């Protein structure tokens, strides 16, 4: 028993996910990013690319693409993206992983440890597949207050 527990946010989230089941992977991804769990982030993205045959997901529910998960704006959290949340929570490894996976930033701008860690985790750069459109670059997605992740970083 937790007498002072506010159930409204939990009920609101469950109602939203019941109405929008395809948002479930993106919300899980954001949760991992806010906690700095890069392995969890990678597992969500891999599950979208390589579906698990043991998965309990409803096969009728469309799965988002990795690009959609990377740029997902959470309506229950002021339209913040995973990058906004990782910055807010000062999760440096998650920030670097998100920039590596979902931005068009040149590889030479990353600290040398980032590409090495990315290779070790098996994180391919989407940029290697061709240019990333501005609307799909995690650096330029705005939250509900109109801030990019860079704007938020400057505020913090």
């Amino acid at each position: 028993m937790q007498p002072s527990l506010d159930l409204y946010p939990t009920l609101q989230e469950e109602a939203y996910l019941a109405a929008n089941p395809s948002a479930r992977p993106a919300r899980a991804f954001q949760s991992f990013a806010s906690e700095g769990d890069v392995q969890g982030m990678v597992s969500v993205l891999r599950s979208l690319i390589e579906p698990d045959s043991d998965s309990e997901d409803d096969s009728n529910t469309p799965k988002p693409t990795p690009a959609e998960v990377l740029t997902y704006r959470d309506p229950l959290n002021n339209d913040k993206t995973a990058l906004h949340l990782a910055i807010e929570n000062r999760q440096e490894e998650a920030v670097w992983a998100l920039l590596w996976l979902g931005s068009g930033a040149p590889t030479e701008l990353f600290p040398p440890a980032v590409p090495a860690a990315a290779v070790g985790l098996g994180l391919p750069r989407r940029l290697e597949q061709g240019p990333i459109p501005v609307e799909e670059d995690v650096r330029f997605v705005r939250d509900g207050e109109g801030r990019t992740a860079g704007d938020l970083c400057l505020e913090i």
Side-chain angles (χ1 to χ4, degrees):
M1 294 281 300
Q2 295 180 353
S4 62
L5 179 65
D6 182 7
L7 288 176
Y8 180 71
T10 303
L11 294 174
Q12 183 182 31
E13 178 181 22
E14 286 304 316
Y16 174 75
L17 291 174
N20 302 285
S22 63
R24 200 171 288 278
R27 289 193 46 89
F29 184 81
Q30 286 192 346
S31 178
F32 288 132
S34 69
E35 296 167 2
D37 184 352
V38 176
Q39 289 288 355
M41 292 166 50
V42 171
S43 70
V44 169
L45 293 176
R46 284 198 176 125
S47 74
L48 299 173
I49 298 167
E50 307 161 358
D52 184 10
S53 60
D54 297 334
S55 175
E56 297 176 13
D57 291 341
D58 182 5
S59 60
N60 295 331
T61 303
K63 289 192 177 197
T65 65
E68 290 170 334
V69 168
L70 286 164
T71 58
Y72 175 75
R73 296 173 59 199
D74 186 0
L76 300 179
N77 196 3
N78 198 20
D79 286 336
K80 292 178 184 171
T81 66
L83 186 55
H84 285 93
L85 294 171
I87 289 170
E88 272 185 357
N89 292 298
R90 293 169 172 78
Q91 299 295 339
E92 188 175 346
E93 288 181 15
V95 169
W96 284 118
L98 288 161
L99 291 171
W100 179 262
L101 289 166
S103 82
T107 302
E108 56 271 6
L109 294 181
F110 288 85
V114 173
V119 168
L121 289 170
L123 298 178
R125 287 216 66 193
R126 186 163 160 244
L127 186 60
E128 293 168 0
Q129 300 167 3
I132 297 176
V134 171
E135 64 273 7
E136 292 181 13
D137 191 316
V138 295
R139 298 173 296 167
F140 305 118
V141 180
R142 296 185 181 276
D143 66 8
E145 295 178 28
R147 303 173 302 183
T148 64
D151 297 334
L152 179 60
C153 196
L154 290 172
E155 285 179 24
I156 292 174

